[in-house]
Structure formats: structure tokens, C-alpha cells
Amino acid sequence: MLSRRAALASLALGAATLSPGALASAEIDDLDTRPGLAALAAQRRILYGCAASTFELQNDRFVAVLTHEAKLIVPEYEMKRAALEPQPGRYAFAPGDALVRFAHERGLAIRGHTLVWHKANPPWLEQALSTPRKEQILTSFITDVVSRYRGQMHSWDVVNEALSPSDGRGDHLRQTLWLKALGSGYIDLAFHAARAADPHALLVYNDWGCEGAGPQHDRFRAATLDFLERAKTRGVPIGAYGMQGHLSAFGPPIDQRKLREFLSRVQSLGLRILITEHDVDDAGGISDLAVRDQAVADASRRFLDVVLENNATIGVLTWGLSDRFLDPPGFQAKLMGYSPRMLPLDDNFRRKPMWRGMAEAFSLRGH
Ligand code: 9MR
């Protein structure tokens, strides 16, 4: 199913062009021209980027802010299979193409998200996976999509969220339509197909579950390390571990020691580390804005300080840049009567404490 924003975006997209019109000079004057996150990160040889959508990029003022702050984008929705292949074998590339073109015109890198996931799939997929063509259903999509953008992508999230230790399997794999149809070999098939279609893009295994504190996360970290190690031993061409980095401002704080240890073990497997979807959920706290913003900033900083210590870390992406485009508030936030503030910029594109914390963390890296 299309998300609200994706549906709006496909309506708004029309001829699939995202070139913004000229900005009124008063609007430009209003924008912060001090160095953005990407410039600060670049001084430490890190990429900073964010998820973006065709819907958001209809806003000229936001485009100016985004191109100032970020050096890398990732489509929030447009390269998921539900968006790319709504009918079997009939691709809808226009929104994805528009984002790739936008990135190139603006001097930004772009990464792809995501080739194999148990969510955001077209409705026809599950039935097609019960036919003898099931393996091809997996690999031909990867071949077609990765080949189309060959040489143009910084990296691809090849497989997303395939682990779920609580599902009880020795290999830690999540029970999904892919596992059911193809067995555990689907992971290897996917990475090899992606590698064959683009020899240079960094291939990423992307997941959550290793960021947090508590026994569940200990188990997730151990499972992830075991999974990555076995995949490397089999010669699966995984180049990086993508840590999503969805945090919670008012939940248990992350355990920096455990996170540090986990990331150095990822590094010792010869993998790069990319933070792919960082944001900080501020649901559940008190409603005072300044307190919430500071709690978000503190949680982010606590996380990024550890992540940036590791020199296998090549970049940090937030899952969006401005609170303006966040999905509608969840039930809890509605009860509290406030909208979520999970990202570096507020809903008027002004820098928040989270922005300042990130800027400081980038500036301190390596010191
Ligand atoms: O933020 C995305 C939301 O707008 C989409 O409706 C949803 C389904 O496509 O995916 C969300 O992004 C998810 C990402 O693709 C994978 N990790 C979790 C993200 C947040 O839920």
C-alpha cells in the first residue's frame, strides 16, 4: 500500500521533474547559510545525508535547505518494490528516476533502498512466489533495478530487516515471504544478483535491533554478528552493515559500551558501517518543547559519539531532515497534543538542538 506521502507524491509528480522554480530572494535570505551538516561531516571524511521523497522536493525552500545540509539522499519510498513494480514486470521508474536526476543535478550522491524487504511489496508478489518462477521473481527485479541505475548509486540496501532472533531459528532469519518461498538462500541470491548488476555500488545489509539497551538487543547484536560472519565466510558480497539508528528519546538510553563493542566487531569482519535511518522518537515524554528537543538531541549525541569513533563508519543519514514531513503523529503524541520532532530541523526548517548536537559530534570526530 502506498503511504500517504507516496500517494501525494505520485499525484504531484506529473512529468516527473523535480527542478524547483526560482526562490524569492527574501526566502533565500531567510535560510541559514552557516556550514551545513554535510560540510561539517566532510571535514571528518564522513558523508551526511537524509531520506528524501518526491513529495518533499516539491517544496522549493526545502530543496534549498536540503542541498545546503546534505550530500547524499535516499528515496524514502520510491525505490521500494511496491512503488517500482506495481504490476508484475511493469516497472514504474519515473519517481525513482526523478530522484536520481535531482541528485545528479544538485551534486548529491544517492543510495538505493531497498531491494528485498518483507514490507512495501506489491500485492501480487506473494502469490507469484508460490510459482516455479519464484527465484526469478527475486533476482530479475534486482537485476533490472540495479542495472538501470548502474554506476549511479553510492550504495544499495540489498536486504532489509531479514533478522528476527525471536522467531527462533538457528540462523536468526525472520519468517518472511522470501524465507518461506526460497529458504535461507535468498539472501545470497540477492547479494550476488546485485553485485552482478553493478560491480561498484557498495552493497549493504540494513537492519535495526542492535542500537538499544536490554537483553533483546544483546540477543539481536549476537545474532547479527553471527549472521554477518557466516555470510562473509560464504563469500556473500556484503560491503557494509547498515545500522538504521531509530532511537527513542524517552526510552532506555543506549548502552555505549555495548554499541562500541558491537561496531568494532562489525569492523573486524571487514565491513564498513553506515548509519542509514537515524531519527529520535520523542513520543512519551513531557510536552515542553525545549525539554523534548534537548532529550532528542542528547539521545542522538550519545549514539553518534560512539558511531563516529569507529573509523569503519563512512556516513550518517537521518530518516528525513525536517519535522515538517513526518508521518502524522502517533496515538500517544495525539493524546499529548503535540507533533513529533524527531529530526535535525523543525517544521519551519530551523536548526534544532539535534542539529547542533550532530554538528558538534561531526566536528569532534577524530579528536
Ligand atoms: O518512512 C517510511 C514510511 O513513509 C513508509 O510508509 C514505510 C513503508 O514503506 O517505510 C518507512 O520507512 C522505513 C524504512 O523503509 C525501513 N526501516 C523502517 C523505516 C521507518 O518505518
Side-chain angles (χ1 to χ4, degrees), residues 329-361:
F331 178 66
Q332 203 168 17
K334 268 192 200 144
L335 268 185
M336 304 285 291
Y338 59 70
S339 325
R341 294 169 66 86
M342 305 169 69
L343 291 168
L345 305 182
D346 73 8
D347 56 5
N348 201 24
F349 312 144
R350 283 179 306 236
R351 294 172 175 179
K352 289 163 47 190
M354 180 180 177
W355 185 97
R356 288 188 280 281
M358 292 181 69
E360 234 174 79

mmCIF file of all heavy atoms in Angstrom, residues 329-361:
data_model
loop_
_atom_site.group_PDB
_atom_site.id
_atom_site.type_symbol
_atom_site.label_atom_id
_atom_site.label_comp_id
_atom_site.label_asym_id
_atom_site.label_seq_id
_atom_site.Cartn_x
_atom_site.Cartn_y
_atom_site.Cartn_z
ATOM 1 N N PRO A 329 1.244 12.320 13.568
ATOM 2 C CA PRO A 329 1.602 11.880 14.914
ATOM 3 C C PRO A 329 0.920 10.574 15.298
ATOM 4 O O PRO A 329 -0.217 10.331 14.908
ATOM 5 C CB PRO A 329 1.103 13.012 15.803
ATOM 6 C CG PRO A 329 0.593 14.083 14.916
ATOM 7 C CD PRO A 329 0.686 13.652 13.508
ATOM 8 N N GLY A 330 1.630 9.756 16.047
ATOM 9 C CA GLY A 330 1.047 8.508 16.536
ATOM 10 C C GLY A 330 0.024 8.794 17.620
ATOM 11 O O GLY A 330 -0.134 9.932 18.059
ATOM 12 N N PHE A 331 -0.602 7.744 18.052
ATOM 13 C CA PHE A 331 -1.685 7.833 19.022
ATOM 14 C C PHE A 331 -1.265 8.568 20.290
ATOM 15 O O PHE A 331 -1.932 9.490 20.760
ATOM 16 C CB PHE A 331 -2.131 6.409 19.340
ATOM 17 C CG PHE A 331 -3.203 6.333 20.368
ATOM 18 C CD1 PHE A 331 -4.472 6.846 20.106
ATOM 19 C CD2 PHE A 331 -2.957 5.766 21.608
ATOM 20 C CE1 PHE A 331 -5.463 6.783 21.065
ATOM 21 C CE2 PHE A 331 -3.948 5.694 22.572
ATOM 22 C CZ PHE A 331 -5.195 6.207 22.295
ATOM 23 N N GLN A 332 -0.059 8.173 20.765
ATOM 24 C CA GLN A 332 0.411 8.744 22.027
ATOM 25 C C GLN A 332 0.660 10.255 21.906
ATOM 26 O O GLN A 332 0.243 11.042 22.752
ATOM 27 C CB GLN A 332 1.708 8.062 22.419
ATOM 28 C CG GLN A 332 1.988 8.152 23.878
ATOM 29 C CD GLN A 332 3.123 7.225 24.266
ATOM 30 O OE1 GLN A 332 3.886 6.773 23.415
ATOM 31 N NE2 GLN A 332 3.236 6.944 25.525
ATOM 32 N N ALA A 333 1.301 10.632 20.785
ATOM 33 C CA ALA A 333 1.577 12.052 20.575
ATOM 34 C C ALA A 333 0.270 12.829 20.464
ATOM 35 O O ALA A 333 0.151 13.946 20.973
ATOM 36 C CB ALA A 333 2.418 12.231 19.325
ATOM 37 N N LYS A 334 -0.713 12.230 19.805
ATOM 38 C CA LYS A 334 -2.006 12.909 19.663
ATOM 39 C C LYS A 334 -2.628 13.149 21.032
ATOM 40 O O LYS A 334 -3.159 14.224 21.316
ATOM 41 C CB LYS A 334 -2.944 12.051 18.823
ATOM 42 C CG LYS A 334 -2.884 12.385 17.358
ATOM 43 C CD LYS A 334 -4.032 11.706 16.625
ATOM 44 C CE LYS A 334 -3.704 11.619 15.163
ATOM 45 N NZ LYS A 334 -4.182 10.390 14.552
ATOM 46 N N LEU A 335 -2.534 12.136 21.873
ATOM 47 C CA LEU A 335 -3.076 12.276 23.225
ATOM 48 C C LEU A 335 -2.410 13.430 23.959
ATOM 49 O O LEU A 335 -3.042 14.186 24.675
ATOM 50 C CB LEU A 335 -2.809 11.001 24.015
ATOM 51 C CG LEU A 335 -3.872 9.918 23.999
ATOM 52 C CD1 LEU A 335 -3.455 8.793 24.942
ATOM 53 C CD2 LEU A 335 -5.216 10.479 24.433
ATOM 54 N N MET A 336 -1.096 13.543 23.752
ATOM 55 C CA MET A 336 -0.347 14.608 24.413
ATOM 56 C C MET A 336 -0.581 15.940 23.703
ATOM 57 O O MET A 336 -0.137 16.980 24.174
ATOM 58 C CB MET A 336 1.155 14.313 24.375
ATOM 59 C CG MET A 336 1.586 13.000 24.970
ATOM 60 S SD MET A 336 1.551 13.015 26.764
ATOM 61 C CE MET A 336 2.896 14.126 27.121
ATOM 62 N N GLY A 337 -1.160 15.880 22.518
ATOM 63 C CA GLY A 337 -1.470 17.107 21.784
ATOM 64 C C GLY A 337 -0.252 17.735 21.138
ATOM 65 O O GLY A 337 -0.177 18.941 20.996
ATOM 66 N N TYR A 338 0.726 16.951 20.756
ATOM 67 C CA TYR A 338 1.857 17.557 20.060
ATOM 68 C C TYR A 338 2.290 16.740 18.853
ATOM 69 O O TYR A 338 1.980 15.554 18.745
ATOM 70 C CB TYR A 338 3.031 17.796 20.996
ATOM 71 C CG TYR A 338 3.624 16.599 21.700
ATOM 72 C CD1 TYR A 338 4.352 15.637 21.008
ATOM 73 C CD2 TYR A 338 3.505 16.461 23.077
ATOM 74 C CE1 TYR A 338 4.931 14.562 21.669
ATOM 75 C CE2 TYR A 338 4.081 15.387 23.739
ATOM 76 C CZ TYR A 338 4.781 14.447 23.030
ATOM 77 O OH TYR A 338 5.357 13.398 23.677
ATOM 78 N N SER A 339 3.004 17.395 17.947
ATOM 79 C CA SER A 339 3.513 16.702 16.761
ATOM 80 C C SER A 339 4.937 16.261 17.007
ATOM 81 O O SER A 339 5.674 16.925 17.739
ATOM 82 C CB SER A 339 3.529 17.623 15.545
ATOM 83 O OG SER A 339 2.471 18.491 15.566
ATOM 84 N N PRO A 340 5.322 15.167 16.365
ATOM 85 C CA PRO A 340 6.672 14.646 16.599
ATOM 86 C C PRO A 340 7.777 15.578 16.118
ATOM 87 O O PRO A 340 7.625 16.278 15.117
ATOM 88 C CB PRO A 340 6.677 13.329 15.801
ATOM 89 C CG PRO A 340 5.478 13.339 14.945
ATOM 90 C CD PRO A 340 4.532 14.371 15.448
ATOM 91 N N ARG A 341 8.879 15.584 16.834
ATOM 92 C CA ARG A 341 10.055 16.418 16.490
ATOM 93 C C ARG A 341 11.286 15.513 16.550
ATOM 94 O O ARG A 341 12.040 15.541 17.508
ATOM 95 C CB ARG A 341 10.175 17.583 17.485
ATOM 96 C CG ARG A 341 9.007 18.562 17.383
ATOM 97 C CD ARG A 341 8.986 19.544 18.536
ATOM 98 N NE ARG A 341 10.116 20.453 18.532
ATOM 99 C CZ ARG A 341 10.160 21.616 17.847
ATOM 100 N NH1 ARG A 341 9.137 21.989 17.121
ATOM 101 N NH2 ARG A 341 11.234 22.378 17.909
ATOM 102 N N MET A 342 11.450 14.717 15.525
ATOM 103 C CA MET A 342 12.422 13.617 15.551
ATOM 104 C C MET A 342 13.704 13.894 14.773
ATOM 105 O O MET A 342 14.594 13.070 14.749
ATOM 106 C CB MET A 342 11.786 12.360 14.935
ATOM 107 C CG MET A 342 10.487 11.951 15.593
ATOM 108 S SD MET A 342 9.601 10.686 14.654
ATOM 109 C CE MET A 342 10.664 9.279 14.850
ATOM 110 N N LEU A 343 13.763 15.035 14.093
ATOM 111 C CA LEU A 343 14.807 15.244 13.083
ATOM 112 C C LEU A 343 15.611 16.522 13.361
ATOM 113 O O LEU A 343 15.238 17.334 14.205
ATOM 114 C CB LEU A 343 14.148 15.286 11.698
ATOM 115 C CG LEU A 343 13.581 13.927 11.241
ATOM 116 C CD1 LEU A 343 12.685 14.068 10.027
ATOM 117 C CD2 LEU A 343 14.719 12.944 10.956
ATOM 118 N N PRO A 344 16.710 16.739 12.620
ATOM 119 C CA PRO A 344 17.579 17.882 12.926
ATOM 120 C C PRO A 344 16.928 19.257 12.742
ATOM 121 O O PRO A 344 17.308 20.208 13.427
ATOM 122 C CB PRO A 344 18.744 17.731 11.938
ATOM 123 C CG PRO A 344 18.718 16.313 11.492
ATOM 124 C CD PRO A 344 17.317 15.834 11.611
ATOM 125 N N LEU A 345 15.980 19.392 11.806
ATOM 126 C CA LEU A 345 15.359 20.692 11.553
ATOM 127 C C LEU A 345 13.886 20.655 11.949
ATOM 128 O O LEU A 345 13.215 19.629 11.780
ATOM 129 C CB LEU A 345 15.455 21.057 10.065
ATOM 130 C CG LEU A 345 16.855 21.056 9.444
ATOM 131 C CD1 LEU A 345 16.771 21.487 7.966
ATOM 132 C CD2 LEU A 345 17.814 21.961 10.198
ATOM 133 N N ASP A 346 13.380 21.782 12.427
ATOM 134 C CA ASP A 346 11.972 21.811 12.836
ATOM 135 C C ASP A 346 11.052 21.925 11.615
ATOM 136 O O ASP A 346 11.524 21.862 10.472
ATOM 137 C CB ASP A 346 11.739 22.922 13.877
ATOM 138 C CG ASP A 346 11.779 24.328 13.272
ATOM 139 O OD1 ASP A 346 11.845 24.474 12.027
ATOM 140 O OD2 ASP A 346 11.756 25.286 14.062
ATOM 141 N N ASP A 347 9.777 22.143 11.856
ATOM 142 C CA ASP A 347 8.859 22.118 10.710
ATOM 143 C C ASP A 347 8.919 23.398 9.880
ATOM 144 O O ASP A 347 8.297 23.509 8.841
ATOM 145 C CB ASP A 347 7.426 21.791 11.154
ATOM 146 C CG ASP A 347 6.924 22.750 12.207
ATOM 147 O OD1 ASP A 347 7.640 23.725 12.529
ATOM 148 O OD2 ASP A 347 5.815 22.527 12.719
ATOM 149 N N ASN A 348 9.720 24.349 10.347
ATOM 150 C CA ASN A 348 9.960 25.537 9.519
ATOM 151 C C ASN A 348 11.413 25.557 9.018
ATOM 152 O O ASN A 348 11.940 26.610 8.654
ATOM 153 C CB ASN A 348 9.623 26.797 10.324
ATOM 154 C CG ASN A 348 9.348 27.968 9.408
ATOM 155 O OD1 ASN A 348 8.973 27.775 8.253
ATOM 156 N ND2 ASN A 348 9.579 29.175 9.895
ATOM 157 N N PHE A 349 12.052 24.384 9.061
ATOM 158 C CA PHE A 349 13.416 24.167 8.564
ATOM 159 C C PHE A 349 14.483 24.890 9.395
ATOM 160 O O PHE A 349 15.590 25.153 8.922
ATOM 161 C CB PHE A 349 13.558 24.573 7.074
ATOM 162 C CG PHE A 349 12.472 24.019 6.186
ATOM 163 C CD1 PHE A 349 11.974 24.770 5.127
ATOM 164 C CD2 PHE A 349 11.942 22.761 6.404
ATOM 165 C CE1 PHE A 349 10.972 24.266 4.307
ATOM 166 C CE2 PHE A 349 10.937 22.246 5.588
ATOM 167 C CZ PHE A 349 10.451 23.010 4.543
ATOM 168 N N ARG A 350 14.155 25.225 10.628
ATOM 169 C CA ARG A 350 15.155 25.839 11.507
ATOM 170 C C ARG A 350 15.931 24.756 12.255
ATOM 171 O O ARG A 350 15.380 23.705 12.583
ATOM 172 C CB ARG A 350 14.483 26.779 12.512
ATOM 173 C CG ARG A 350 14.084 28.126 11.896
ATOM 174 C CD ARG A 350 13.401 28.970 12.948
ATOM 175 N NE ARG A 350 12.293 28.211 13.527
ATOM 176 C CZ ARG A 350 11.028 28.626 13.561
ATOM 177 N NH1 ARG A 350 10.699 29.802 13.074
ATOM 178 N NH2 ARG A 350 10.084 27.874 14.099
ATOM 179 N N ARG A 351 17.192 25.057 12.540
ATOM 180 C CA ARG A 351 18.062 24.095 13.219
ATOM 181 C C ARG A 351 17.642 23.930 14.676
ATOM 182 O O ARG A 351 17.426 24.918 15.375
ATOM 183 C CB ARG A 351 19.511 24.568 13.118
ATOM 184 C CG ARG A 351 19.988 24.544 11.682
ATOM 185 C CD ARG A 351 21.342 25.191 11.503
ATOM 186 N NE ARG A 351 21.771 25.018 10.117
ATOM 187 C CZ ARG A 351 22.910 25.493 9.620
ATOM 188 N NH1 ARG A 351 23.736 26.163 10.395
ATOM 189 N NH2 ARG A 351 23.235 25.282 8.362
ATOM 190 N N LYS A 352 17.567 22.688 15.101
ATOM 191 C CA LYS A 352 17.149 22.364 16.473
ATOM 192 C C LYS A 352 18.357 21.879 17.280
ATOM 193 O O LYS A 352 19.417 21.640 16.719
ATOM 194 C CB LYS A 352 16.087 21.255 16.426
ATOM 195 C CG LYS A 352 14.750 21.706 15.880
ATOM 196 C CD LYS A 352 13.900 20.526 15.473
ATOM 197 C CE LYS A 352 13.872 19.431 16.531
ATOM 198 N NZ LYS A 352 13.233 18.210 15.982
ATOM 199 N N PRO A 353 18.178 21.661 18.573
ATOM 200 C CA PRO A 353 19.296 21.102 19.360
ATOM 201 C C PRO A 353 19.856 19.806 18.748
ATOM 202 O O PRO A 353 21.064 19.575 18.812
ATOM 203 C CB PRO A 353 18.645 20.860 20.726
ATOM 204 C CG PRO A 353 17.606 21.931 20.823
ATOM 205 C CD PRO A 353 17.054 22.078 19.423
ATOM 206 N N MET A 354 19.028 19.004 18.117
ATOM 207 C CA MET A 354 19.558 17.782 17.489
ATOM 208 C C MET A 354 20.562 18.153 16.390
ATOM 209 O O MET A 354 21.601 17.516 16.249
ATOM 210 C CB MET A 354 18.428 16.927 16.913
ATOM 211 C CG MET A 354 18.918 15.649 16.237
ATOM 212 S SD MET A 354 17.536 14.680 15.585
ATOM 213 C CE MET A 354 18.406 13.323 14.798
ATOM 214 N N TRP A 355 20.227 19.186 15.608
ATOM 215 C CA TRP A 355 21.163 19.639 14.569
ATOM 216 C C TRP A 355 22.482 20.031 15.214
ATOM 217 O O TRP A 355 23.558 19.627 14.761
ATOM 218 C CB TRP A 355 20.577 20.835 13.798
ATOM 219 C CG TRP A 355 21.436 21.262 12.635
ATOM 220 C CD1 TRP A 355 21.272 20.914 11.325
ATOM 221 C CD2 TRP A 355 22.624 22.083 12.683
ATOM 222 N NE1 TRP A 355 22.271 21.455 10.557
ATOM 223 C CE2 TRP A 355 23.119 22.176 11.359
ATOM 224 C CE3 TRP A 355 23.311 22.731 13.700
ATOM 225 C CZ2 TRP A 355 24.268 22.904 11.040
ATOM 226 C CZ3 TRP A 355 24.471 23.449 13.384
ATOM 227 C CH2 TRP A 355 24.937 23.528 12.057
ATOM 228 N N ARG A 356 22.400 20.804 16.292
ATOM 229 C CA ARG A 356 23.640 21.298 16.925
ATOM 230 C C ARG A 356 24.452 20.151 17.519
ATOM 231 O O ARG A 356 25.668 20.121 17.416
ATOM 232 C CB ARG A 356 23.318 22.362 17.967
ATOM 233 C CG ARG A 356 22.860 23.671 17.310
ATOM 234 C CD ARG A 356 22.728 24.806 18.314
ATOM 235 N NE ARG A 356 21.483 24.740 19.055
ATOM 236 C CZ ARG A 356 20.294 25.140 18.569
ATOM 237 N NH1 ARG A 356 20.194 25.622 17.341
ATOM 238 N NH2 ARG A 356 19.199 25.042 19.292
ATOM 239 N N GLY A 357 23.769 19.178 18.086
ATOM 240 C CA GLY A 357 24.466 18.006 18.636
ATOM 241 C C GLY A 357 25.179 17.235 17.528
ATOM 242 O O GLY A 357 26.320 16.793 17.695
ATOM 243 N N MET A 358 24.506 17.088 16.399
ATOM 244 C CA MET A 358 25.119 16.361 15.286
ATOM 245 C C MET A 358 26.322 17.132 14.758
ATOM 246 O O MET A 358 27.380 16.555 14.476
ATOM 247 C CB MET A 358 24.095 16.147 14.161
ATOM 248 C CG MET A 358 22.991 15.195 14.557
ATOM 249 S SD MET A 358 21.799 14.922 13.218
ATOM 250 C CE MET A 358 22.827 13.992 12.076
ATOM 251 N N ALA A 359 26.146 18.440 14.622
ATOM 252 C CA ALA A 359 27.236 19.279 14.109
ATOM 253 C C ALA A 359 28.458 19.136 15.023
ATOM 254 O O ALA A 359 29.591 18.993 14.552
ATOM 255 C CB ALA A 359 26.779 20.735 14.036
ATOM 256 N N GLU A 360 28.219 19.150 16.308
ATOM 257 C CA GLU A 360 29.316 19.029 17.262
ATOM 258 C C GLU A 360 29.959 17.649 17.201
ATOM 259 O O GLU A 360 31.176 17.515 17.221
ATOM 260 C CB GLU A 360 28.750 19.227 18.659
ATOM 261 C CG GLU A 360 29.454 20.309 19.443
ATOM 262 C CD GLU A 360 28.729 20.519 20.753
ATOM 263 O OE1 GLU A 360 28.929 19.718 21.699
ATOM 264 O OE2 GLU A 360 27.918 21.461 20.791
ATOM 265 N N ALA A 361 29.119 16.630 17.093
ATOM 266 C CA ALA A 361 29.656 15.262 17.015
ATOM 267 C C ALA A 361 30.513 15.109 15.755
ATOM 268 O O ALA A 361 31.605 14.534 15.805
ATOM 269 C CB ALA A 361 28.510 14.251 16.995
#
